[in-house]
Amino acid sequence: MDFTIRAIRPDEHAALGEISARAYLDGGLLTYGEDDGYLDVLRDVGRRAAEAEVLVAVDADGTVLGGVTFVPGGGPWADIAQPGEAEFRVLAVSPAARGRGVGEALVHACADRARALDGCGRLVLSVVSVATAARALYERMGFVRTPHRDWDPLEGVLLLTYELTL
């Protein structure tokens, strides 16, 4: 790998916020486009870092290539995690870094963190159905669909769920 996965630093919050917002917007993942209220959540990396664990992939020059929010065993950022589970959210990779294994490495880092938690048996996530590249990545990595846990945070927005047994 020509990049490193580590905890985010405060001076990188804005960069990851913009990468996250652009990935969701440009990928057509936001139901309401530029008017989607979730854009504020995507850009507010400072809040995520204060309430969960935010990991970044950075190259040798320190350029942020992507990031993910890891939620160990619940907490304010857990959408679907139950006792004995960890969750990840807001996986995003910059367009320039796609195809380099950044997303996969970030998911592996989340799985490693989940395995290190006492009593954690699963890593779970939610994803919009149109995120076909993300869904393919998760399935390739061994995540399985859990349709009984699918949910809709807003009218007309169905989130599909997956889990990885650790």
Side-chain angles (χ1 to χ4, degrees):
M1 288 190 311
D2 59 343
F3 55 87
T4 303
I5 307 292
R6 61 165 170 73
I8 195 165
R9 298 177 183 150
D11 63 327
E12 298 166 330
H13 290 179
L16 181 58
E18 199 51 36
I19 288 169
S20 301
R22 292 292 358 142
Y24 278 63
L25 275 170
D26 297 344
L29 307 180
L30 297 173
T31 303
Y32 304 106
E34 293 278 353
D35 296 324
D36 201 300
Y38 197 56
L39 271 176
D40 293 336
V41 174
L42 294 170
R43 287 189 171 114
D44 193 356
V45 177
R47 177 177 168 218
R48 279 191 271 150
E51 298 176 348
E53 183 179 359
V54 178
L55 304 173
V56 288
V58 296
D59 67 14
D61 296 327
T63 302
V64 176
L65 306 175
V68 67
T69 301
F70 176 70
V71 185
W77 281 89
D79 280 331
I80 63 168
Q82 299 173 359
E85 298 177 335
E87 184 170 348
F88 72 86
R89 296 185 53 194
V90 195
L91 175 65
V93 176
S94 72
R98 292 197 183 126
R100 292 171 53 187
V102 172
E104 184 172 349
L106 288 163
V107 174
H108 275 299
C110 290
D112 290 344
R113 279 168 170 69
R115 284 185 190 96
L117 296 172
D118 286 339
C120 187
R122 283 177 300 282
L123 179 61
V124 298
L125 66 101
S126 303
V127 62
V128 293
S129 62
V130 296
T132 54
R135 291 175 54 208
L137 169 68
Y138 304 145
E139 290 168 8
R140 189 171 62 250
M141 293 182 71
F143 285 81
V144 295
R145 280 275 293 120
T146 52
H148 64 282
R149 294 176 79 170
D150 292 353
W151 62 290
D152 49 345
L154 299 170
E155 177 101 19
V157 179
L158 176 66
L159 295 180
L160 308 179
T161 60
Y162 286 81
E163 73 177 28
L164 176 69
T165 300
L166 303 172

Short mmCIF file of all heavy atoms in Angstrom, two decimals, residues 60-122:
data_model
loop_
_atom_site.label_atom_id
_atom_site.label_comp_id
_atom_site.label_asym_id
_atom_site.label_seq_id
_atom_site.Cartn_x
_atom_site.Cartn_y
_atom_site.Cartn_z
N ALA A 60 1.95 9.43 1.40
CA ALA A 60 3.24 9.80 1.99
C ALA A 60 3.38 11.30 2.21
O ALA A 60 4.10 11.74 3.10
CB ALA A 60 4.38 9.29 1.12
N ASP A 61 2.67 12.10 1.41
CA ASP A 61 2.71 13.55 1.56
C ASP A 61 1.71 14.07 2.59
O ASP A 61 1.64 15.27 2.83
CB ASP A 61 2.41 14.23 0.22
CG ASP A 61 3.48 13.93 -0.83
OD1 ASP A 61 4.65 13.77 -0.45
OD2 ASP A 61 3.12 13.83 -2.02
N GLY A 62 0.92 13.17 3.18
CA GLY A 62 -0.08 13.57 4.15
C GLY A 62 -1.41 13.97 3.55
O GLY A 62 -2.29 14.46 4.26
N THR A 63 -1.59 13.75 2.25
CA THR A 63 -2.86 14.07 1.60
C THR A 63 -3.92 13.07 2.03
O THR A 63 -3.69 11.85 1.96
CB THR A 63 -2.70 14.04 0.06
OG1 THR A 63 -1.69 14.98 -0.30
CG2 THR A 63 -4.01 14.37 -0.63
N VAL A 64 -5.07 13.56 2.45
CA VAL A 64 -6.17 12.69 2.85
C VAL A 64 -6.79 12.09 1.59
O VAL A 64 -7.21 12.81 0.69
CB VAL A 64 -7.23 13.46 3.67
CG1 VAL A 64 -8.42 12.56 3.99
CG2 VAL A 64 -6.62 14.01 4.95
N LEU A 65 -6.83 10.76 1.56
CA LEU A 65 -7.37 10.03 0.42
C LEU A 65 -8.80 9.56 0.65
O LEU A 65 -9.54 9.31 -0.29
CB LEU A 65 -6.48 8.82 0.10
CG LEU A 65 -5.00 9.11 -0.11
CD1 LEU A 65 -4.24 7.79 -0.29
CD2 LEU A 65 -4.80 10.03 -1.30
N GLY A 66 -9.15 9.41 1.91
CA GLY A 66 -10.49 8.92 2.26
C GLY A 66 -10.58 8.72 3.75
O GLY A 66 -9.61 8.93 4.48
N GLY A 67 -11.77 8.32 4.19
CA GLY A 67 -11.96 8.10 5.61
C GLY A 67 -13.22 7.33 5.90
O GLY A 67 -14.03 7.04 5.01
N VAL A 68 -13.38 7.00 7.17
CA VAL A 68 -14.53 6.22 7.64
C VAL A 68 -14.74 6.53 9.13
O VAL A 68 -13.79 6.88 9.84
CB VAL A 68 -14.29 4.71 7.41
CG1 VAL A 68 -13.17 4.17 8.29
CG2 VAL A 68 -15.57 3.91 7.61
N THR A 69 -15.97 6.40 9.56
CA THR A 69 -16.31 6.57 10.98
C THR A 69 -16.58 5.20 11.56
O THR A 69 -17.49 4.49 11.11
CB THR A 69 -17.55 7.48 11.14
OG1 THR A 69 -17.26 8.75 10.54
CG2 THR A 69 -17.90 7.68 12.60
N PHE A 70 -15.81 4.83 12.58
CA PHE A 70 -15.96 3.54 13.26
C PHE A 70 -16.68 3.78 14.58
O PHE A 70 -16.32 4.67 15.34
CB PHE A 70 -14.58 2.90 13.52
CG PHE A 70 -14.66 1.63 14.30
CD1 PHE A 70 -15.19 0.49 13.73
CD2 PHE A 70 -14.21 1.58 15.61
CE1 PHE A 70 -15.26 -0.70 14.45
CE2 PHE A 70 -14.29 0.41 16.35
CZ PHE A 70 -14.81 -0.73 15.76
N VAL A 71 -17.70 2.97 14.81
CA VAL A 71 -18.53 3.13 16.00
C VAL A 71 -18.42 1.85 16.82
O VAL A 71 -19.07 0.84 16.51
CB VAL A 71 -20.00 3.40 15.61
CG1 VAL A 71 -20.83 3.68 16.84
CG2 VAL A 71 -20.11 4.54 14.60
N PRO A 72 -17.60 1.86 17.87
CA PRO A 72 -17.45 0.66 18.68
C PRO A 72 -18.62 0.47 19.65
O PRO A 72 -18.90 1.35 20.46
CB PRO A 72 -16.14 0.91 19.44
CG PRO A 72 -16.03 2.40 19.51
CD PRO A 72 -16.75 2.94 18.30
N GLY A 73 -19.33 -0.62 19.48
CA GLY A 73 -20.34 -1.03 20.45
C GLY A 73 -21.42 -0.01 20.76
O GLY A 73 -21.80 0.14 21.92
N GLY A 74 -21.89 0.70 19.79
CA GLY A 74 -22.98 1.64 20.03
C GLY A 74 -22.47 3.06 20.10
O GLY A 74 -21.45 3.40 19.53
N GLY A 75 -23.18 3.89 20.83
CA GLY A 75 -22.81 5.29 20.92
C GLY A 75 -23.67 6.12 20.01
O GLY A 75 -24.51 5.61 19.26
N PRO A 76 -23.48 7.44 20.04
CA PRO A 76 -24.37 8.33 19.29
C PRO A 76 -24.31 8.15 17.77
O PRO A 76 -25.23 8.53 17.08
CB PRO A 76 -23.91 9.73 19.69
CG PRO A 76 -22.58 9.57 20.29
CD PRO A 76 -22.48 8.17 20.81
N TRP A 77 -23.27 7.53 17.24
CA TRP A 77 -23.16 7.35 15.80
C TRP A 77 -23.64 5.99 15.33
O TRP A 77 -23.61 5.70 14.14
CB TRP A 77 -21.73 7.63 15.33
CG TRP A 77 -21.53 9.09 15.24
CD1 TRP A 77 -21.09 9.93 16.24
CD2 TRP A 77 -21.83 9.92 14.14
NE1 TRP A 77 -21.10 11.22 15.81
CE2 TRP A 77 -21.55 11.25 14.51
CE3 TRP A 77 -22.31 9.68 12.86
CZ2 TRP A 77 -21.72 12.32 13.65
CZ3 TRP A 77 -22.48 10.75 12.00
CH2 TRP A 77 -22.19 12.05 12.39
N ALA A 78 -24.09 5.15 16.23
CA ALA A 78 -24.59 3.84 15.83
C ALA A 78 -26.01 3.97 15.30
O ALA A 78 -26.87 4.52 15.96
CB ALA A 78 -24.55 2.88 17.02
N ASP A 79 -26.22 3.48 14.10
CA ASP A 79 -27.56 3.43 13.53
C ASP A 79 -28.24 2.10 13.81
O ASP A 79 -29.41 2.05 14.17
CB ASP A 79 -27.52 3.64 12.01
CG ASP A 79 -27.38 5.09 11.61
OD1 ASP A 79 -27.84 5.97 12.37
OD2 ASP A 79 -26.82 5.34 10.54
N ILE A 80 -27.49 1.00 13.64
CA ILE A 80 -28.12 -0.31 13.77
C ILE A 80 -27.37 -1.26 14.70
O ILE A 80 -27.87 -2.33 14.99
CB ILE A 80 -28.28 -0.99 12.39
CG1 ILE A 80 -26.93 -1.25 11.73
CG2 ILE A 80 -29.20 -0.17 11.51
CD1 ILE A 80 -26.99 -2.17 10.51
N ALA A 81 -26.17 -0.89 15.16
CA ALA A 81 -25.39 -1.79 16.00
C ALA A 81 -26.14 -2.12 17.28
O ALA A 81 -26.70 -1.25 17.93
CB ALA A 81 -24.03 -1.19 16.33
N GLN A 82 -26.13 -3.39 17.60
CA GLN A 82 -26.74 -3.90 18.82
C GLN A 82 -25.62 -4.38 19.74
O GLN A 82 -24.45 -4.41 19.33
CB GLN A 82 -27.69 -5.05 18.48
CG GLN A 82 -28.82 -4.64 17.56
CD GLN A 82 -29.66 -5.81 17.08
OE1 GLN A 82 -29.39 -6.97 17.39
NE2 GLN A 82 -30.67 -5.52 16.29
N PRO A 83 -25.93 -4.76 20.97
CA PRO A 83 -24.87 -5.29 21.84
C PRO A 83 -24.12 -6.43 21.14
O PRO A 83 -24.72 -7.26 20.46
CB PRO A 83 -25.64 -5.80 23.06
CG PRO A 83 -26.86 -4.91 23.11
CD PRO A 83 -27.22 -4.69 21.66
N GLY A 84 -22.81 -6.41 21.25
CA GLY A 84 -21.98 -7.42 20.61
C GLY A 84 -21.63 -7.09 19.17
O GLY A 84 -21.09 -7.93 18.45
N GLU A 85 -21.92 -5.85 18.75
CA GLU A 85 -21.62 -5.44 17.38
C GLU A 85 -20.91 -4.09 17.38
O GLU A 85 -21.06 -3.31 18.31
CB GLU A 85 -22.91 -5.29 16.56
CG GLU A 85 -23.70 -6.56 16.40
CD GLU A 85 -25.00 -6.37 15.66
OE1 GLU A 85 -25.56 -5.25 15.67
OE2 GLU A 85 -25.46 -7.36 15.07
N ALA A 86 -20.17 -3.85 16.32
CA ALA A 86 -19.62 -2.53 16.02
C ALA A 86 -20.16 -2.15 14.64
O ALA A 86 -20.68 -3.00 13.91
CB ALA A 86 -18.10 -2.57 16.02
N GLU A 87 -20.03 -0.89 14.30
CA GLU A 87 -20.61 -0.39 13.06
C GLU A 87 -19.63 0.59 12.41
O GLU A 87 -18.83 1.21 13.10
CB GLU A 87 -21.92 0.33 13.40
CG GLU A 87 -22.71 0.85 12.24
CD GLU A 87 -24.10 1.32 12.68
OE1 GLU A 87 -24.52 1.05 13.83
OE2 GLU A 87 -24.76 1.98 11.87
N PHE A 88 -19.72 0.72 11.10
CA PHE A 88 -19.00 1.81 10.46
C PHE A 88 -19.95 2.58 9.56
O PHE A 88 -20.93 2.04 9.07
CB PHE A 88 -17.72 1.37 9.75
CG PHE A 88 -17.90 0.60 8.47
CD1 PHE A 88 -18.07 1.24 7.26
CD2 PHE A 88 -17.87 -0.78 8.49
CE1 PHE A 88 -18.21 0.53 6.09
CE2 PHE A 88 -18.00 -1.51 7.32
CZ PHE A 88 -18.18 -0.85 6.12
N ARG A 89 -19.62 3.86 9.39
CA ARG A 89 -20.45 4.78 8.62
C ARG A 89 -19.56 5.73 7.82
O ARG A 89 -18.39 5.89 8.12
CB ARG A 89 -21.32 5.61 9.57
CG ARG A 89 -22.32 4.80 10.35
CD ARG A 89 -23.22 5.64 11.18
NE ARG A 89 -23.86 6.67 10.36
CZ ARG A 89 -24.51 7.71 10.87
NH1 ARG A 89 -24.61 7.87 12.17
NH2 ARG A 89 -25.07 8.60 10.09
N VAL A 90 -20.16 6.36 6.86
CA VAL A 90 -19.55 7.43 6.07
C VAL A 90 -18.18 7.03 5.50
O VAL A 90 -17.20 7.74 5.64
CB VAL A 90 -19.45 8.76 6.87
CG1 VAL A 90 -19.17 9.92 5.93
CG2 VAL A 90 -20.70 9.04 7.68
N LEU A 91 -18.15 5.88 4.85
CA LEU A 91 -16.95 5.48 4.12
C LEU A 91 -16.90 6.30 2.84
O LEU A 91 -17.86 6.31 2.06
CB LEU A 91 -17.01 3.99 3.79
CG LEU A 91 -15.87 3.44 2.92
CD1 LEU A 91 -14.53 3.53 3.65
CD2 LEU A 91 -16.17 2.02 2.50
N ALA A 92 -15.80 7.00 2.62
CA ALA A 92 -15.68 7.85 1.43
C ALA A 92 -14.21 7.88 0.99
O ALA A 92 -13.31 7.95 1.82
CB ALA A 92 -16.16 9.26 1.72
N VAL A 93 -14.03 7.84 -0.33
CA VAL A 93 -12.69 7.89 -0.92
C VAL A 93 -12.70 8.97 -1.99
O VAL A 93 -13.65 9.09 -2.76
CB VAL A 93 -12.32 6.52 -1.54
CG1 VAL A 93 -10.97 6.58 -2.24
CG2 VAL A 93 -12.32 5.43 -0.46
N SER A 94 -11.63 9.75 -2.05
CA SER A 94 -11.54 10.81 -3.06
C SER A 94 -11.47 10.19 -4.45
O SER A 94 -10.93 9.09 -4.61
CB SER A 94 -10.31 11.70 -2.82
OG SER A 94 -9.14 10.99 -3.15
N PRO A 95 -11.99 10.87 -5.45
CA PRO A 95 -11.94 10.33 -6.82
C PRO A 95 -10.52 9.98 -7.26
O PRO A 95 -10.30 8.97 -7.92
CB PRO A 95 -12.53 11.45 -7.68
CG PRO A 95 -13.40 12.22 -6.75
CD PRO A 95 -12.71 12.14 -5.40
N ALA A 96 -9.56 10.80 -6.89
CA ALA A 96 -8.17 10.57 -7.30
C ALA A 96 -7.58 9.30 -6.69
O ALA A 96 -6.62 8.74 -7.22
CB ALA A 96 -7.31 11.77 -6.93
N ALA A 97 -8.14 8.83 -5.58
CA ALA A 97 -7.59 7.66 -4.89
C ALA A 97 -8.36 6.38 -5.17
O ALA A 97 -7.97 5.31 -4.70
CB ALA A 97 -7.57 7.92 -3.39
N ARG A 98 -9.42 6.46 -5.94
CA ARG A 98 -10.22 5.26 -6.22
C ARG A 98 -9.42 4.26 -7.03
O ARG A 98 -8.60 4.61 -7.86
CB ARG A 98 -11.51 5.64 -6.93
CG ARG A 98 -12.39 6.41 -5.97
CD ARG A 98 -13.83 6.51 -6.40
NE ARG A 98 -14.51 7.36 -5.41
CZ ARG A 98 -15.21 8.42 -5.71
NH1 ARG A 98 -15.40 8.76 -6.97
NH2 ARG A 98 -15.77 9.12 -4.76
N GLY A 99 -9.67 2.99 -6.74
CA GLY A 99 -8.98 1.92 -7.45
C GLY A 99 -7.63 1.56 -6.84
O GLY A 99 -6.93 0.70 -7.37
N ARG A 100 -7.29 2.18 -5.72
CA ARG A 100 -6.01 1.91 -5.06
C ARG A 100 -6.16 1.05 -3.82
O ARG A 100 -5.18 0.83 -3.10
CB ARG A 100 -5.32 3.23 -4.70
CG ARG A 100 -4.89 4.02 -5.91
CD ARG A 100 -4.41 5.42 -5.61
NE ARG A 100 -3.39 5.51 -4.59
CZ ARG A 100 -2.94 6.66 -4.10
NH1 ARG A 100 -3.40 7.81 -4.57
NH2 ARG A 100 -2.01 6.68 -3.17
N GLY A 101 -7.38 0.62 -3.51
CA GLY A 101 -7.61 -0.22 -2.34
C GLY A 101 -7.84 0.56 -1.06
O GLY A 101 -7.82 -0.01 0.03
N VAL A 102 -8.07 1.86 -1.17
CA VAL A 102 -8.26 2.71 0.00
C VAL A 102 -9.52 2.31 0.76
O VAL A 102 -9.51 2.12 1.98
CB VAL A 102 -8.29 4.20 -0.39
CG1 VAL A 102 -8.69 5.08 0.80
CG2 VAL A 102 -6.94 4.63 -0.95
N GLY A 103 -10.63 2.18 0.05
CA GLY A 103 -11.89 1.80 0.71
C GLY A 103 -11.78 0.46 1.41
O GLY A 103 -12.20 0.32 2.56
N GLU A 104 -11.22 -0.51 0.73
CA GLU A 104 -11.05 -1.83 1.32
C GLU A 104 -10.16 -1.77 2.56
O GLU A 104 -10.46 -2.40 3.58
CB GLU A 104 -10.47 -2.80 0.29
CG GLU A 104 -10.37 -4.22 0.80
CD GLU A 104 -9.98 -5.21 -0.28
OE1 GLU A 104 -9.99 -4.87 -1.48
OE2 GLU A 104 -9.68 -6.37 0.09
N ALA A 105 -9.08 -1.01 2.50
CA ALA A 105 -8.18 -0.89 3.65
C ALA A 105 -8.89 -0.24 4.83
O ALA A 105 -8.68 -0.64 5.99
CB ALA A 105 -6.94 -0.09 3.26
N LEU A 106 -9.72 0.76 4.57
CA LEU A 106 -10.47 1.40 5.65
C LEU A 106 -11.47 0.42 6.29
O LEU A 106 -11.62 0.39 7.51
CB LEU A 106 -11.19 2.65 5.14
CG LEU A 106 -10.27 3.83 4.84
CD1 LEU A 106 -10.98 4.85 3.95
CD2 LEU A 106 -9.78 4.49 6.13
N VAL A 107 -12.13 -0.39 5.48
CA VAL A 107 -13.06 -1.39 6.02
C VAL A 107 -12.29 -2.44 6.82
O VAL A 107 -12.73 -2.84 7.90
CB VAL A 107 -13.91 -2.03 4.90
CG1 VAL A 107 -14.76 -3.17 5.46
CG2 VAL A 107 -14.79 -0.99 4.24
N HIS A 108 -11.14 -2.88 6.31
CA HIS A 108 -10.31 -3.83 7.07
C HIS A 108 -9.91 -3.25 8.43
O HIS A 108 -9.91 -3.95 9.43
CB HIS A 108 -9.05 -4.21 6.29
CG HIS A 108 -9.25 -5.33 5.32
ND1 HIS A 108 -9.63 -6.59 5.68
CD2 HIS A 108 -9.12 -5.34 3.97
CE1 HIS A 108 -9.72 -7.35 4.61
NE2 HIS A 108 -9.43 -6.60 3.55
N ALA A 109 -9.56 -1.96 8.45
CA ALA A 109 -9.18 -1.32 9.72
C ALA A 109 -10.36 -1.34 10.70
O ALA A 109 -10.16 -1.57 11.89
CB ALA A 109 -8.72 0.12 9.46
N CYS A 110 -11.56 -1.12 10.20
CA CYS A 110 -12.75 -1.19 11.06
C CYS A 110 -12.96 -2.61 11.58
O CYS A 110 -13.27 -2.82 12.76
CB CYS A 110 -13.99 -0.71 10.32
SG CYS A 110 -14.01 1.06 9.99
N ALA A 111 -12.80 -3.60 10.70
CA ALA A 111 -12.95 -4.99 11.12
C ALA A 111 -11.91 -5.36 12.18
O ALA A 111 -12.22 -6.03 13.17
CB ALA A 111 -12.86 -5.92 9.91
N ASP A 112 -10.68 -4.91 12.00
CA ASP A 112 -9.63 -5.18 12.98
C ASP A 112 -9.97 -4.55 14.33
O ASP A 112 -9.79 -5.16 15.38
CB ASP A 112 -8.28 -4.65 12.50
CG ASP A 112 -7.72 -5.44 11.32
OD1 ASP A 112 -8.20 -6.56 11.05
OD2 ASP A 112 -6.80 -4.91 10.66
N ARG A 113 -10.49 -3.32 14.32
CA ARG A 113 -10.87 -2.65 15.56
C ARG A 113 -12.03 -3.38 16.23
O ARG A 113 -12.07 -3.53 17.44
CB ARG A 113 -11.22 -1.18 15.30
CG ARG A 113 -9.99 -0.32 15.20
CD ARG A 113 -10.27 1.06 14.66
NE ARG A 113 -9.13 1.94 14.79
CZ ARG A 113 -7.99 1.83 14.12
NH1 ARG A 113 -7.83 0.84 13.26
NH2 ARG A 113 -7.02 2.69 14.29
N ALA A 114 -12.98 -3.83 15.42
CA ALA A 114 -14.12 -4.56 15.98
C ALA A 114 -13.66 -5.88 16.62
O ALA A 114 -14.12 -6.22 17.72
CB ALA A 114 -15.16 -4.82 14.89
N ARG A 115 -12.76 -6.59 15.94
CA ARG A 115 -12.25 -7.86 16.50
C ARG A 115 -11.55 -7.64 17.83
O ARG A 115 -11.53 -8.53 18.68
CB ARG A 115 -11.29 -8.52 15.51
CG ARG A 115 -11.96 -9.18 14.36
CD ARG A 115 -10.95 -9.92 13.46
NE ARG A 115 -11.61 -10.35 12.26
CZ ARG A 115 -11.59 -9.68 11.09
NH1 ARG A 115 -10.90 -8.55 10.98
NH2 ARG A 115 -12.23 -10.15 10.05
N ALA A 116 -10.95 -6.49 18.01
CA ALA A 116 -10.20 -6.20 19.24
C ALA A 116 -11.12 -5.85 20.41
O ALA A 116 -10.66 -5.78 21.55
CB ALA A 116 -9.22 -5.06 18.99
N LEU A 117 -12.41 -5.62 20.15
CA LEU A 117 -13.35 -5.28 21.22
C LEU A 117 -13.83 -6.54 21.92
O LEU A 117 -14.25 -7.50 21.26
CB LEU A 117 -14.56 -4.53 20.65
CG LEU A 117 -14.31 -3.18 20.00
CD1 LEU A 117 -15.58 -2.68 19.32
CD2 LEU A 117 -13.84 -2.18 21.05
N ASP A 118 -13.80 -6.53 23.24
CA ASP A 118 -14.31 -7.68 23.99
C ASP A 118 -15.78 -7.90 23.68
O ASP A 118 -16.59 -6.97 23.73
CB ASP A 118 -14.16 -7.44 25.51
CG ASP A 118 -12.72 -7.58 25.98
OD1 ASP A 118 -11.93 -8.24 25.27
OD2 ASP A 118 -12.41 -7.04 27.05
N GLY A 119 -16.12 -9.13 23.33
CA GLY A 119 -17.51 -9.49 23.11
C GLY A 119 -18.11 -9.05 21.79
O GLY A 119 -19.31 -9.22 21.57
N CYS A 120 -17.30 -8.50 20.90
CA CYS A 120 -17.82 -8.04 19.61
C CYS A 120 -17.75 -9.19 18.61
O CYS A 120 -16.66 -9.68 18.31
CB CYS A 120 -17.04 -6.83 19.11
SG CYS A 120 -17.77 -6.11 17.62
N GLY A 121 -18.89 -9.59 18.08
CA GLY A 121 -18.93 -10.70 17.14
C GLY A 121 -19.26 -10.33 15.71
O GLY A 121 -19.14 -11.17 14.81
N ARG A 122 -19.71 -9.07 15.50
CA ARG A 122 -20.11 -8.67 14.16
C ARG A 122 -19.77 -7.21 13.91
O ARG A 122 -19.81 -6.38 14.81
CB ARG A 122 -21.62 -8.85 13.97
CG ARG A 122 -22.08 -10.27 13.76
CD ARG A 122 -23.59 -10.39 13.63
NE ARG A 122 -24.29 -9.92 14.82
CZ ARG A 122 -24.41 -10.59 15.96
NH1 ARG A 122 -23.85 -11.77 16.07
NH2 ARG A 122 -25.07 -10.09 16.98
#
